[in-house]
Amino acid sequence: VGCIPKKLYHIGASIRELINADSNFYGISGEEGKPDDMGQLATPTTQVHWEVAKGNIQNYIRSLNFKYRVRLREKSVQYLNKLATFKDAHTLEVVDKKGRSSTITSSRFLVATGGRPAPIDCEGGDLAISSDDVFFLEKNPGKTLCVGASYISLECAGFLAGFGNDVTVAVRSILLRGFDRECSEKIGEYMKDHGVKFKMEVTPTKMEKVEGDQIKVTFSDGSSDTYDTVLGAIGRHADTDKLGLGNT
C-alpha cells in the first residue's frame, strides 16, 4: 500500500478522463462511433473494470517486492520477514509467521516502521475503510465519502472520481492544513471542476448500515446522506505499538 499503487490508480483515472475529454476531437471513437451531420464524434462511453485494475496493480506491486528482495540480497543485506520487539536498548526479539523467535543484538537500531491510518472516532466508525484498505477492495467502491482533508484523502478522492464514481469529501475545517493556502485553494477548485463534492466544516457523528448494504452517515451539522463506501483519511500514527520502545 502507499504511494506506488495510488499513483497507478491515478494514471488509470487520468487515462479515462483524457479519453472522455479529448478523444472525439482527434477523431477517435468506440467501435460503433460515427460522425454526426456536423462531422463531429460523440464522447465515447468508457467502462471501469475495478477488479482488473486492482489485480494488475497488485501483481505489479508483488513484482516490485520481489525485485527489492533480490537487490537486497545482491548487496549482502539480510532480509528478515519477522515482527520485532525491543527487549532492551541493544536486543530485539524477532518472531516469524510460524511463531518461532530469536534475538538480534546491535549497538544501534534504526527504527523506520511507517504508520497506520487513524480510525474514525464516532458511533459506527468501524463501518469505514481506511486509505490502506481501498487498494484491496474486491469491487468498485461506488458512491464514496472521503472523511478528512489531508493530501491522502484528496488523492483518494481524486482517483476515485477519475474512475467515474460519485465522490464527496467531508472537511472539518480547511483543505490541506499546513500547506500553502493559495495552492490548497486551487487544488480544491480543480477537484470541484472535475466532479468532486465537498461538505465543509462537518465531521461524521454516526454511521449505520441501511437497506442495500449502504452506509448512512449523519454529520455534525445535522445533515445526512448514504454512501456505498466511507473512506477514513483523518491522519496516521506511528506503527510502534508492538515495538516495545518502553524497554529501551
Side-chain angles (χ1 to χ4, degrees), residues 180-213:
D180 180 90
R181 296 316 314 149
E182 184 177 2
C183 288
S184 299
E185 290 167 7
K186 286 185 179 296
I187 289 170
E189 291 303 317
Y190 177 88
M191 294 182 70
K192 289 178 185 177
D193 289 342
H194 284 71
V196 178
K197 293 172 286 188
F198 291 90
K199 285 184 68 69
M200 303 301 296
E201 298 183 352
V202 298
T203 57
T205 58
K206 183 179 180 180
M207 300 183 199
E208 54 188 320
K209 282 282 190 180
V210 293
E211 187 178 354
D213 208 33

Short mmCIF file of all heavy atoms in Angstrom, two decimals, residues 180-213:
data_model
loop_
_atom_site.label_atom_id
_atom_site.label_comp_id
_atom_site.label_asym_id
_atom_site.label_seq_id
_atom_site.Cartn_x
_atom_site.Cartn_y
_atom_site.Cartn_z
N ASP A 180 0.61 25.60 1.61
CA ASP A 180 0.40 26.92 1.05
C ASP A 180 -1.08 27.13 0.73
O ASP A 180 -1.69 26.30 0.04
CB ASP A 180 1.23 27.09 -0.22
CG ASP A 180 1.05 28.46 -0.87
OD1 ASP A 180 1.80 29.37 -0.51
OD2 ASP A 180 0.15 28.59 -1.72
N ARG A 181 -1.68 28.22 1.25
CA ARG A 181 -3.12 28.39 1.13
C ARG A 181 -3.56 28.62 -0.31
O ARG A 181 -4.60 28.13 -0.73
CB ARG A 181 -3.60 29.58 1.99
CG ARG A 181 -3.42 29.43 3.48
CD ARG A 181 -3.81 28.08 4.03
NE ARG A 181 -5.09 27.58 3.55
CZ ARG A 181 -5.36 26.29 3.40
NH1 ARG A 181 -4.46 25.37 3.66
NH2 ARG A 181 -6.53 25.90 2.97
N GLU A 182 -2.80 29.39 -1.08
CA GLU A 182 -3.20 29.64 -2.46
C GLU A 182 -3.21 28.34 -3.26
O GLU A 182 -4.16 28.07 -4.01
CB GLU A 182 -2.26 30.65 -3.12
CG GLU A 182 -2.68 31.02 -4.54
CD GLU A 182 -1.78 32.08 -5.17
OE1 GLU A 182 -0.81 32.50 -4.52
OE2 GLU A 182 -2.06 32.46 -6.32
N CYS A 183 -2.18 27.53 -3.09
CA CYS A 183 -2.13 26.24 -3.79
C CYS A 183 -3.26 25.32 -3.33
O CYS A 183 -3.90 24.64 -4.14
CB CYS A 183 -0.78 25.56 -3.55
SG CYS A 183 0.61 26.34 -4.41
N SER A 184 -3.52 25.31 -2.03
CA SER A 184 -4.57 24.45 -1.49
C SER A 184 -5.93 24.82 -2.07
O SER A 184 -6.73 23.95 -2.44
CB SER A 184 -4.61 24.56 0.04
OG SER A 184 -3.38 24.15 0.60
N GLU A 185 -6.20 26.12 -2.15
CA GLU A 185 -7.49 26.57 -2.70
C GLU A 185 -7.61 26.24 -4.18
O GLU A 185 -8.69 25.87 -4.67
CB GLU A 185 -7.64 28.07 -2.47
CG GLU A 185 -7.86 28.41 -0.99
CD GLU A 185 -7.71 29.90 -0.70
OE1 GLU A 185 -7.57 30.67 -1.68
OE2 GLU A 185 -7.74 30.28 0.48
N LYS A 186 -6.51 26.35 -4.91
CA LYS A 186 -6.54 26.00 -6.34
C LYS A 186 -6.79 24.51 -6.53
O LYS A 186 -7.51 24.10 -7.45
CB LYS A 186 -5.22 26.42 -7.01
CG LYS A 186 -5.08 27.92 -7.23
CD LYS A 186 -3.82 28.25 -8.00
CE LYS A 186 -3.72 29.75 -8.24
NZ LYS A 186 -4.81 30.25 -9.11
N ILE A 187 -6.20 23.70 -5.65
CA ILE A 187 -6.45 22.25 -5.72
C ILE A 187 -7.92 21.95 -5.47
O ILE A 187 -8.55 21.14 -6.17
CB ILE A 187 -5.56 21.51 -4.69
CG1 ILE A 187 -4.10 21.54 -5.14
CG2 ILE A 187 -6.03 20.06 -4.51
CD1 ILE A 187 -3.12 21.07 -4.10
N GLY A 188 -8.52 22.63 -4.48
CA GLY A 188 -9.94 22.43 -4.21
C GLY A 188 -10.81 22.82 -5.39
O GLY A 188 -11.74 22.09 -5.75
N GLU A 189 -10.51 23.95 -6.02
CA GLU A 189 -11.30 24.38 -7.17
C GLU A 189 -11.14 23.41 -8.34
O GLU A 189 -12.10 23.11 -9.05
CB GLU A 189 -10.87 25.79 -7.59
CG GLU A 189 -11.25 26.88 -6.60
CD GLU A 189 -12.74 26.93 -6.32
OE1 GLU A 189 -13.52 26.82 -7.28
OE2 GLU A 189 -13.12 27.05 -5.14
N TYR A 190 -9.92 22.93 -8.54
CA TYR A 190 -9.67 21.98 -9.62
C TYR A 190 -10.49 20.70 -9.40
O TYR A 190 -11.11 20.17 -10.33
CB TYR A 190 -8.18 21.64 -9.69
CG TYR A 190 -7.82 20.61 -10.73
CD1 TYR A 190 -7.53 20.97 -12.04
CD2 TYR A 190 -7.77 19.24 -10.40
CE1 TYR A 190 -7.21 20.02 -12.99
CE2 TYR A 190 -7.46 18.29 -11.35
CZ TYR A 190 -7.17 18.68 -12.65
OH TYR A 190 -6.85 17.74 -13.59
N MET A 191 -10.50 20.22 -8.16
CA MET A 191 -11.24 19.00 -7.87
C MET A 191 -12.73 19.19 -8.06
O MET A 191 -13.42 18.30 -8.56
CB MET A 191 -10.91 18.52 -6.45
CG MET A 191 -9.46 18.07 -6.28
SD MET A 191 -9.09 17.45 -4.62
CE MET A 191 -10.01 15.90 -4.62
N LYS A 192 -13.24 20.36 -7.66
CA LYS A 192 -14.67 20.65 -7.88
C LYS A 192 -14.99 20.63 -9.37
O LYS A 192 -16.03 20.10 -9.79
CB LYS A 192 -15.02 22.01 -7.28
CG LYS A 192 -15.03 22.05 -5.77
CD LYS A 192 -15.34 23.46 -5.27
CE LYS A 192 -15.24 23.55 -3.76
NZ LYS A 192 -15.46 24.93 -3.27
N ASP A 193 -14.09 21.21 -10.18
CA ASP A 193 -14.31 21.24 -11.63
C ASP A 193 -14.31 19.83 -12.23
O ASP A 193 -14.86 19.62 -13.31
CB ASP A 193 -13.22 22.07 -12.31
CG ASP A 193 -13.35 23.56 -12.03
OD1 ASP A 193 -14.44 23.98 -11.60
OD2 ASP A 193 -12.36 24.30 -12.22
N HIS A 194 -13.68 18.89 -11.52
CA HIS A 194 -13.62 17.50 -12.01
C HIS A 194 -14.60 16.59 -11.27
O HIS A 194 -14.44 15.37 -11.26
CB HIS A 194 -12.19 16.97 -11.88
CG HIS A 194 -11.27 17.50 -12.94
ND1 HIS A 194 -10.85 18.82 -12.96
CD2 HIS A 194 -10.71 16.91 -14.03
CE1 HIS A 194 -10.05 19.00 -14.01
NE2 HIS A 194 -9.97 17.88 -14.67
N GLY A 195 -15.61 17.20 -10.66
CA GLY A 195 -16.73 16.41 -10.15
C GLY A 195 -16.70 16.03 -8.68
O GLY A 195 -17.65 15.40 -8.19
N VAL A 196 -15.64 16.37 -7.95
CA VAL A 196 -15.59 16.04 -6.53
C VAL A 196 -16.41 17.07 -5.74
O VAL A 196 -16.26 18.27 -5.94
CB VAL A 196 -14.13 16.02 -6.01
CG1 VAL A 196 -14.11 15.73 -4.51
CG2 VAL A 196 -13.32 14.98 -6.75
N LYS A 197 -17.26 16.57 -4.83
CA LYS A 197 -18.07 17.46 -3.99
C LYS A 197 -17.44 17.59 -2.60
O LYS A 197 -16.78 16.67 -2.13
CB LYS A 197 -19.49 16.91 -3.89
CG LYS A 197 -20.27 16.95 -5.21
CD LYS A 197 -21.60 16.24 -5.11
CE LYS A 197 -21.42 14.73 -5.09
NZ LYS A 197 -22.69 13.99 -5.19
N PHE A 198 -17.66 18.74 -1.97
CA PHE A 198 -17.10 18.99 -0.64
C PHE A 198 -18.21 19.38 0.33
O PHE A 198 -19.06 20.22 0.01
CB PHE A 198 -16.06 20.10 -0.69
CG PHE A 198 -14.79 19.73 -1.41
CD1 PHE A 198 -14.67 19.93 -2.78
CD2 PHE A 198 -13.73 19.16 -0.73
CE1 PHE A 198 -13.51 19.58 -3.46
CE2 PHE A 198 -12.57 18.80 -1.39
CZ PHE A 198 -12.46 19.02 -2.75
N LYS A 199 -18.20 18.76 1.51
CA LYS A 199 -19.05 19.18 2.63
C LYS A 199 -18.12 19.86 3.63
O LYS A 199 -17.31 19.20 4.28
CB LYS A 199 -19.77 18.00 3.27
CG LYS A 199 -20.94 17.48 2.46
CD LYS A 199 -21.68 16.36 3.17
CE LYS A 199 -22.40 16.84 4.41
NZ LYS A 199 -23.55 17.73 4.10
N MET A 200 -18.24 21.18 3.76
CA MET A 200 -17.31 21.95 4.56
C MET A 200 -17.77 22.07 6.01
O MET A 200 -18.96 22.14 6.31
CB MET A 200 -17.13 23.35 3.96
CG MET A 200 -16.67 23.35 2.50
SD MET A 200 -15.09 22.51 2.23
CE MET A 200 -13.98 23.56 3.19
N GLU A 201 -16.78 22.10 6.91
CA GLU A 201 -16.97 22.31 8.33
C GLU A 201 -17.93 21.30 8.95
O GLU A 201 -18.82 21.64 9.74
CB GLU A 201 -17.46 23.75 8.59
CG GLU A 201 -16.45 24.79 8.14
CD GLU A 201 -16.89 26.21 8.45
OE1 GLU A 201 -18.05 26.40 8.88
OE2 GLU A 201 -16.08 27.14 8.25
N VAL A 202 -17.74 20.03 8.58
CA VAL A 202 -18.53 18.96 9.18
C VAL A 202 -17.62 17.78 9.54
O VAL A 202 -16.54 17.61 8.97
CB VAL A 202 -19.65 18.45 8.23
CG1 VAL A 202 -20.65 19.55 7.92
CG2 VAL A 202 -19.06 17.86 6.96
N THR A 203 -18.09 16.98 10.48
CA THR A 203 -17.46 15.70 10.80
C THR A 203 -18.57 14.66 10.95
O THR A 203 -19.71 15.02 11.30
CB THR A 203 -16.66 15.77 12.11
OG1 THR A 203 -17.53 16.19 13.18
CG2 THR A 203 -15.48 16.73 11.99
N PRO A 204 -18.30 13.39 10.70
CA PRO A 204 -19.32 12.37 10.92
C PRO A 204 -19.59 12.19 12.41
O PRO A 204 -18.66 12.18 13.21
CB PRO A 204 -18.70 11.10 10.32
CG PRO A 204 -17.55 11.57 9.49
CD PRO A 204 -17.07 12.83 10.12
N THR A 205 -20.85 12.08 12.78
CA THR A 205 -21.21 11.80 14.17
C THR A 205 -21.81 10.41 14.34
O THR A 205 -21.84 9.88 15.46
CB THR A 205 -22.21 12.85 14.69
OG1 THR A 205 -23.38 12.85 13.84
CG2 THR A 205 -21.59 14.24 14.68
N LYS A 206 -22.28 9.83 13.23
CA LYS A 206 -22.87 8.49 13.32
C LYS A 206 -22.86 7.83 11.95
O LYS A 206 -23.09 8.49 10.93
CB LYS A 206 -24.31 8.57 13.84
CG LYS A 206 -24.99 7.23 14.03
CD LYS A 206 -26.41 7.40 14.55
CE LYS A 206 -27.10 6.07 14.75
NZ LYS A 206 -28.49 6.24 15.26
N MET A 207 -22.55 6.53 11.94
CA MET A 207 -22.64 5.72 10.72
C MET A 207 -23.47 4.49 11.03
O MET A 207 -23.30 3.88 12.10
CB MET A 207 -21.26 5.30 10.22
CG MET A 207 -20.34 6.43 9.87
SD MET A 207 -18.77 5.84 9.19
CE MET A 207 -17.75 7.29 9.43
N GLU A 208 -24.33 4.12 10.09
CA GLU A 208 -25.16 2.93 10.31
C GLU A 208 -25.48 2.28 8.97
O GLU A 208 -25.62 2.95 7.95
CB GLU A 208 -26.45 3.31 11.03
CG GLU A 208 -27.25 4.41 10.35
CD GLU A 208 -28.41 4.91 11.17
OE1 GLU A 208 -29.08 4.06 11.81
OE2 GLU A 208 -28.66 6.12 11.19
N LYS A 209 -25.57 0.94 9.00
CA LYS A 209 -25.94 0.19 7.82
C LYS A 209 -27.41 0.40 7.52
O LYS A 209 -28.25 0.39 8.43
CB LYS A 209 -25.67 -1.30 8.04
CG LYS A 209 -24.21 -1.70 7.90
CD LYS A 209 -23.80 -1.81 6.44
CE LYS A 209 -22.43 -2.44 6.31
NZ LYS A 209 -22.01 -2.55 4.90
N VAL A 210 -27.74 0.58 6.25
CA VAL A 210 -29.12 0.72 5.83
C VAL A 210 -29.40 -0.24 4.68
O VAL A 210 -28.53 -1.02 4.28
CB VAL A 210 -29.44 2.18 5.41
CG1 VAL A 210 -29.35 3.11 6.61
CG2 VAL A 210 -28.52 2.64 4.30
N GLU A 211 -30.60 -0.18 4.15
CA GLU A 211 -31.01 -1.09 3.09
C GLU A 211 -30.07 -1.02 1.89
O GLU A 211 -29.57 0.06 1.53
CB GLU A 211 -32.43 -0.73 2.64
CG GLU A 211 -33.04 -1.71 1.65
CD GLU A 211 -34.46 -1.34 1.28
OE1 GLU A 211 -35.00 -0.39 1.87
OE2 GLU A 211 -35.03 -2.00 0.39
N GLY A 212 -29.80 -2.18 1.30
CA GLY A 212 -28.92 -2.24 0.15
C GLY A 212 -27.45 -2.26 0.52
O GLY A 212 -26.59 -2.01 -0.33
N ASP A 213 -27.16 -2.52 1.81
CA ASP A 213 -25.78 -2.60 2.30
C ASP A 213 -25.05 -1.27 2.17
O ASP A 213 -23.82 -1.23 2.12
CB ASP A 213 -25.01 -3.70 1.56
CG ASP A 213 -23.89 -4.27 2.42
OD1 ASP A 213 -24.06 -4.34 3.65
OD2 ASP A 213 -22.84 -4.64 1.86
#
